[in-house]
Amino acid sequence: MAKPGLPKLIATDLDGTLVRSDDTVSAYTHEVLDRVRAAGIRIVGATGRGPRLTELTRNDIRAADFLVLAQGGWVIDQNESQLLRSARLPGRDLAVALENLEAEVGPLSVMVEALEHDDAPLWGDYDPTWRYPVTLERRARAECLTGDVIKAFARSFDRDVDDLLAAARRVVPAHVASVTQAGLNYVEICPPEVDKGTGLAVVAQAVGVDPADVLVFGDMPNDLPMFAWAGWGRVAVRNAHPELLAVADEVTLTNDEDGVAVFLDRLLSR
């Protein structure tokens, strides 16, 4: 159960958690987040979205003091317009991770996120099933891996994404890269020691907040690190992945029922 009183910092995932299935955030959710901030509680948007989606992220969580992007690799102080973290993965290390994974599971479809400007294209293999509008530049893998990248997306068309993630956890060394999945049928490969927990730790250090005073919301395995890191409370939306439901302190309504806002509204009112 969440602790008495109020947390000092609240971090929430976006897609599948704060954002509804129609890709919108309700006026009610924005209003509740404004009241949270007015109560003196800092707000963090913690998402797998890369910096190319910064403006979209700002619009979805307008009350945020900080943005933790790219699974924790990119951290922005919104109030000071300052970049606090910008981690990248060397292309040669990504090549090692992909070779290890393909040796285990067979050929993969791969897209790479390397550019940080708004609406920057992804590079790599075209996937017609990709859920979101995106500009993709088709490039050979060797060309994609000539420099450092923010992260990569890898998909098997023969294996379920959870099976692919399990394989990646086994065969990709932690010192080479970190791996996760965020519900897009892709495993995401990020720099080592990059996850939402380490991203939030950057925020906490910047503002002098202890993890014991942080409340977090999420829905997918990429939220597990911040659930392990935060100590005030860990809340999953009802539509969350079983791995996250298993470690949550509490479960709120689904994202389509504004579960995060309902929980915070009650928290402010108690």
Side-chain angles (χ1 to χ4, degrees), residues 85-107:
R85 187 187 203 188
S86 55
R88 285 181 171 270
L89 178 64
R92 62 182 179 277
D93 292 344
L94 176 56
V96 170
L98 290 171
E99 287 168 9
N100 289 343
L101 192 50
E102 287 189 318
E104 178 81 4
V105 303

Side-chain angles (χ1 to χ4, degrees), residues 6 11 36 46 60 67 87 92 100 108 121 135 178 202 213 262:
L6 294 174
V36 167
D60 282 342
L67 299 179
R92 62 182 179 277
N100 289 343
L108 297 169
T135 302
S178 60
V202 172
D213 293 315
V262 168

Side-chain angles (χ1 to χ4, degrees), residues 89 91-108 110 141 145 154 156 159 163-179 187 189:
L89 178 64
R92 62 182 179 277
D93 292 344
L94 176 56
V96 170
L98 290 171
E99 287 168 9
N100 289 343
L101 192 50
E102 287 189 318
E104 178 81 4
V105 303
L108 297 169
V110 176
R141 187 179 301 181
L145 304 183
S156 167
R159 290 185 180 233
D163 292 340
L164 183 60
L165 178 59
R169 286 169 171 168
R170 287 195 308 270
V171 304
V172 177
H175 70 273
V176 172
S178 60
V179 295
V187 164
I189 304 172

Side-chain angles (χ1 to χ4, degrees), residues 128-140:
T129 70
W130 183 260
R131 180 174 181 269
Y132 298 104
V134 65
T135 302
L136 176 78
E137 291 183 7
R138 296 195 193 205
R139 296 192 181 197

Side-chain angles (χ1 to χ4, degrees), residues 9-52:
L9 186 147
I10 291 169
T12 180
D13 171 59
L14 297 182
D15 300 301
T17 301
L18 193 78
V19 179
R20 299 179 294 190
S21 298
D22 63 358
D23 299 328
T24 65
V25 177
S26 72
Y28 168 64
T29 292
H30 284 302
E31 184 268 331
V32 170
L33 290 175
D34 286 340
R35 286 196 282 120
V36 167
R37 198 176 186 203
I41 302 169
R42 291 184 174 91
I43 297 173
V44 183
T47 176
R49 299 175 184 178
R52 67 191 175 86

Side-chain angles (χ1 to χ4, degrees), residues 9 11 44-47 66-76 84-85 193-206 225-226 229:
L9 186 147
V44 183
T47 176
F66 294 86
L67 299 179
V68 172
L69 305 170
Q71 307 296 7
W74 223 260
V75 180
I76 301 172
L84 302 181
R85 187 187 203 188
E193 298 183 8
V194 161
D195 58 50
K196 290 189 182 183
T198 61
L200 284 178
V202 172
V203 173
Q205 183 175 14
M226 72 175 183
W229 176 85

